[in-house]
Amino acid sequence: MAFPYQIKTLEDYHQVYRRSVDDPEGFWADIASHFYWRKQWNQVLEWNFKEPTINWFLGGKLNITENCIDRHLGTLGNKPAIIWEPNDPEEHYRVLTYRELHTKVMQFCNVLQNNGVKKGDRVCIYMGMIPELAIAMLACARMGAIHSVIFGGFSAQSIRDRLIDAGAEYIITCDGAFRGNKDIPLKSTIDDALVGIDFVKRVIVAIRTHTPVSMIKGRDVWWEDEVKKVETMGERYFPAEEMDANDPLFILYTSGSTGKPKGVVHAIAGYLVWANYTFLNVFQYERGDVHFCTADIGWITGHSYIVYGPLSAGATSLMFEGIPTWPDAGRFWEVVDKHKANILYTAPTAIRSLMGFGDAPFEGKSLDSLKVLGTVGEPINEEAWNWYNTKVGKGKCPIIDTWWQTETGATLISNLAGVTPSKPTYATLPMPGVQPLLVDENGHEIHEMEASGNLCIKFPWPGLLRTTYGDHERCRLNYFSTYENLYFTGDGCLRDENGNYRITGRVDDVLNVSGHRLGTAEIENAINMHNGVVESAVVGYPHDVKGQGVYAYIIYNGLFDDENLIRQDIIQTVTRIIGAIAKPDKIQFVPGLPKTRSGKIMRRILRKIAEGEIENLGDTSTLLDPLIVEEIKNGKL
Ligand code: WT7
């Protein structure tokens, strides 16, 4: 059975797109009618970008897990929902059918309920990539609790900030996580995060690595024990909670241009429709296909294209615990062959790192099952695009370059695999319902087709964020106040004569390091915590594999006997405060920073120096002390 709202031809795309703009409410009502509702909505959309207020399918009642699991049981009950491939190729993989997933999610709902979790509670999930992570998310969603998944690479301090911000009283974690040859101690990081915090009522710990962990009486319980307790009470149906269409589904923290990460909030119905609609259309998923998204569920990509998008479509989602380069750089290809993956969706940084290993990792691999290749997270350079196309796709798989953000819920701009044309390094055309525009530095819309400017969106789509948790004003300021009545993405963008979009990178103080989003202010705050650091300024610079690297200029006045040791100390500090993902790649000690007379750091100059563009620094006439620039140039790493 084909999916009724899949776009199948280019003409079809143009027609559907037109309707989505001319009659958005009618368009989305038609799409939404294919989902399972307890109660039909009475208004499709209510919105203004001033406050902002964004609500979809008002008055509608549903539960996302009935859409992701229950409604498939009749036809797909025995089909795999999740195929899980472990880190170690020697360990056996696991398959969860839709029926098994249903049972396990309900079991875990009972566990959550027994441990005091109620509808509306915030539950923090800090786990490795094992099926229990998806089960935990879905169980929260089924009972109406709001999950907040934190990527396993974040430090205790980062977890603590997020727990406090979300007021999360419940935590689900693992003893540890396997990633490549590493065994990451998750529970002990949670223990560090909880020192001095007394509002957390329960920590549920799943066993994965058998690392010794402390279990605090009255607070910590084992996942397996709790499930056993539920099992001895017999198979118990756990009815899905009837939720309002606009109730929050989850919070996901992401970095912005200010120091503190913000909790992006997505609401149930709109997010469901958007994740599902884009999944089916962008990847052109067909019944029985195996969809392999290599992202970590700790990021939005994993939420939308490992869990909610595929499951809502009754797809088979391949979930991989490991990394592309362990035990060797052929691991992705081995996983593709082993499970006959049809769609591969990964990040340009992974592609670039694998390019470096040459042809050997492909020996003995067929990759014949692949039909569609996708990338996400950062701009893809032409060389990586071509390599992906010829080496992995053997020239026969359409490549989709999907542009989107944590805030957008799922893909906004992308070609549709094999349906609309691809163009290397271009995300190409907007999804139906998405109305992009470019603005110049004065905030005026650029009407010429071929242009470059800042990328904005002028009309809501179902997956748009609703608020930033606990601070709606921050949401307004961040996304809806730069340009009147527009959602501002923070990205710079080119548009070609045919209306294809190419996203060139952030124009705000946000870095994209290996597809991970980091705020420069956030990294500076962490560096400044180090004893001896007077002031710092962080900028990005082009990095062959990571896309962007972190370049830190630091004024240091502590004891300065061993420069390299100080660098290591600062890196340790950043790892403690944020996590290893934010470690500076380069640290240059400087006598001062280039500032304007009003005391503002001129980052443009620092960026140019870090990029190696020493000669042409542009206008430096407003500098307080031009000599500083000379000294910084001389000390460049
Ligand atoms: C930022 C969003 C999308 C989920 C993963 C990252 C950059 C994302 C692309 C792309 C060029 C891209 C943008 C965006 N980005 N996809 N296909 N081409 N740039 O989500 O952490 O919220 O980061 O990633 O700069 O603003 P995120």
Side-chain angles (χ1 to χ4, degrees):
M1 195 190 68
F3 294 97
Y5 43 94
Q6 252 171 348
I7 296 164
K8 286 293 173 191
T9 64
L10 183 57
E11 301 73 65
D12 201 10
Y13 163 78
H14 286 300
Q15 219 169 33
V16 170
Y17 185 80
R18 181 80 345 250
R19 171 156 191 240
S20 78
V21 173
D22 292 345
D23 174 23
E25 300 205 17
F27 178 77
W28 289 114
D30 283 353
I31 304 292
S33 69
H34 293 280
F35 293 78
Y36 176 70
W37 296 84
R38 293 276 188 92
K39 180 175 169 285
Q40 164 98 38
W41 60 90
N42 46 42
Q43 184 184 341
V44 175
L45 172 63
E46 165 193 63
W47 73 287
N48 75 66
F49 278 174
K50 271 205 158 46
E51 301 172 22
T53 297
I54 303 134
N55 285 302
W56 283 92
F57 310 113
L58 290 86
K61 305 280 178 195
L62 78 171
N63 187 289
I64 198 167
T65 69
E66 288 187 327
N67 281 280
C68 288
I69 310 175
D70 303 50
R71 69 167 168 157
H72 306 314
L73 292 176
T75 46
L76 304 168
N78 297 322
K79 295 275 187 270
I82 295 176
I83 300 175
W84 176 74
E85 173 65 23
N87 180 55
D88 185 344
E90 304 287 307
E91 186 181 341
H92 211 280
Y93 65 90
R94 285 168 62 187
V95 177
L96 288 178
T97 64
Y98 272 94
R99 191 165 303 287
E100 287 163 337
L101 183 63
H102 189 237
T103 305
K104 287 195 181 293
V105 167
M106 292 198 300
Q107 246 173 15
F108 201 65
C109 283
N110 282 307
V111 167
L112 291 174
Q113 194 176 54
N114 290 346
N115 281 281
V117 179
K118 297 180 308 299
K119 177 177 177 175
D121 285 346
R122 276 79 57 216
V123 178
C124 159
I125 303 180
Y126 185 68
M127 300 174 86
M129 284 285 286
I130 55 175
E132 283 66 25
L133 164 52
I135 292 166
M137 293 162 78
L138 291 162
C140 287
R142 191 170 184 87
M143 68 179 322
I146 301 165
H147 60 70
S148 171
V149 183
I150 301 178
F151 174 63
F154 280 112
S155 69
Q157 182 65 50
S158 294
I159 297 168
R160 188 190 180 81
D161 293 345
R162 287 158 173 75
L163 286 173
I164 294 171
D165 190 82
E169 296 173 333
Y170 301 91
I171 299 176
I172 308 169
T173 188
C174 300
D175 50 356
F178 293 125
R179 266 178 73 78
N181 59 6
K182 291 205 193 90
D183 172 348
I184 297 152
L186 299 177
K187 173 60 164 66
S188 96
T189 304
I190 289 289
D191 290 338
D192 289 345
L194 292 183
V195 172
I197 286 194
D198 53 13
F199 61 80
V200 170
K201 295 179 178 152
R202 196 69 86 230
V203 181
I204 302 176
V205 188
I207 297 175
R208 173 60 185 134
T209 56
H210 296 275
T211 317
V213 296
S214 84
M215 293 292 283
I216 305 294
K217 192 182 290 166
R219 189 193 72 185
D220 302 350
V221 296
W222 293 108
W223 173 299
E224 291 73 12
D225 287 350
E226 296 302 299
V227 167
K228 236 173 254 149
K229 278 188 214 161
V230 169
E231 272 173 346
T232 55
M233 297 163 78
E235 190 91 344
R236 272 204 302 170
Y237 188 79
F238 194 101
E241 185 73 27
E242 185 170 296
M243 302 297 289
D244 190 88
N246 292 293
D247 279 338
L249 174 63
F250 64 82
I251 306 171
L252 187 57
Y253 284 86
T254 190
S255 298
S257 34
T258 55
K260 204 177 126 218
K262 44 191 182 247
V264 169
V265 176
H266 283 290
I268 298 169
Y271 175 80
L272 165 66
V273 168
W274 190 240
N276 175 277
Y277 185 79
T278 57
F279 172 73
L280 286 173
N281 280 295
V282 170
F283 298 102
Q284 290 289 308
Y285 183 87
E286 293 175 343
R287 266 292 167 245
D289 280 353
V290 173
H291 175 75
F292 180 16
C293 166
T294 71
D296 192 288
I297 293 179
W299 309 106
I300 190 71
T301 309
H303 282 60
S304 303
Y305 295 124
I306 297 179
V307 182
Y308 292 111
L311 297 181
S312 65
T316 296
S317 184
L318 171 54
M319 176 176 178
F320 175 44
E321 187 185 32
I323 59 169
T325 49
W326 189 86
D328 58 57
R331 185 68 172 126
F332 269 4
W333 323 133
E334 182 188 335
V335 176
V336 166
D337 279 359
K338 183 167 170 185
H339 300 290
K340 306 217 165 9
N342 305 104
I343 302 167
L344 174 66
Y345 189 38
T346 194
T349 187
I351 296 169
R352 287 190 299 263
S353 101
L354 292 171
M355 275 168 72
F357 290 88
D359 289 346
F362 289 99
E363 265 163 41
K365 315 288 194 319
S366 96
L367 302 183
D368 279 349
S369 56
L370 289 175
K371 298 197 291 194
V372 171
L373 300 178
T375 75
V376 61
E378 35 168 339
I380 182 162
N381 47 311
E382 200 147 357
E383 198 191 349
W385 197 98
N386 288 329
W387 184 88
Y388 200 32
N389 185 32
T390 47
K391 286 287 172 204
V392 184
K394 312 228 165 93
K396 65 175 177 55
C397 302
I399 295 190
I400 46 179
D401 177 353
T402 65
W403 170 81
W404 54 294
Q405 312 177 298
T406 304
E407 295 85 347
T408 71
T411 306
L412 292 201
I413 302 181
S414 172
N415 50 318
L416 312 181
V419 173
T420 64
S422 66
K423 173 169 177 175
T425 76
Y426 279 73
T428 74
L429 300 173
M431 293 298 295
V434 175
Q435 302 185 37
L437 74 156
L438 300 181
V439 296
D440 63 22
E441 58 271 31
N442 303 317
H444 300 307
E445 177 167 2
I446 306 171
H447 292 282
E448 294 82 26
M449 194 54 103
E450 206 175 340
S452 93
N454 288 347
L455 180 61
C456 295
I457 319 281
K458 64 175 156 208
F459 195 85
W461 61 97
L464 177 58
L465 90 161
R466 301 309 174 78
T467 189
T468 45
Y469 194 80
D471 192 350
H472 192 64
E473 176 62 2
R474 199 164 170 212
C475 174
R476 188 187 70 80
L477 281 174
N478 252 287
Y479 308 107
F480 300 94
S481 72
T482 316
Y483 306 111
E484 211 184 328
N485 282 324
L486 298 176
Y487 168 79
F488 177 43
T489 64
D491 278 320
C493 186
L494 299 176
R495 185 168 56 204
D496 76 5
E497 69 282 6
N498 299 316
N500 290 305
Y501 289 88
R502 174 188 185 167
I503 286 73
T504 46
R506 304 288 305 199
V507 293
D508 51 7
D509 291 321
V510 169
L511 304 182
N512 191 327
V513 180
S514 300
H516 298 156
R517 186 158 150 191
L518 298 163
T520 52
E522 191 186 355
I523 305 175
E524 286 162 7
N525 287 349
I527 291 173
N528 297 348
M529 305 262 303
H530 184 77
N531 175 349
V533 170
V534 179
E535 200 180 358
S536 64
V538 165
V539 297
Y541 71 97
H543 188 287
D544 285 348
V545 174
K546 298 178 174 189
Q548 269 190 311
V550 178
Y551 196 117
Y553 298 91
I554 295 177
I555 307 174
Y556 191 83
N557 83 343
L559 256 184
F560 210 81
D561 50 358
D562 184 342
E563 211 176 293
N564 269 328
L565 189 58
I566 297 169
R567 282 204 178 86
Q568 293 306 317
D569 290 349
I570 291 170
I571 286 172
Q572 279 286 324
T573 310
V574 174
T575 305
R576 280 256 172 246
I577 301 297
I578 304 174
I581 52 172
K583 284 195 292 205
D585 297 279
K586 292 185 178 178
I587 293 177
Q588 180 182 348
F589 294 108
V590 294
L593 292 166
K595 289 190 178 169
T596 60
R597 283 182 196 96
S598 60
K600 237 186 113 198
I601 297 175
M602 291 185 76
R603 290 166 181 283
R604 179 176 52 80
I605 292 179
L606 293 174
R607 230 175 273 132
K608 288 224 159 170
I609 296 175
E611 285 165 5
E613 263 200 60
I614 311 244
E615 295 316 318
N616 185 12
L617 291 182
D619 181 15
T620 53
S621 60
T622 56
L623 273 176
L624 185 62
D625 177 7
L627 273 180
I628 281 292
V629 175
E630 291 310 308
E631 293 199 51
I632 295 176
K633 270 166 44 177
N634 293 336
K636 187 196 174 305
L637 299 173

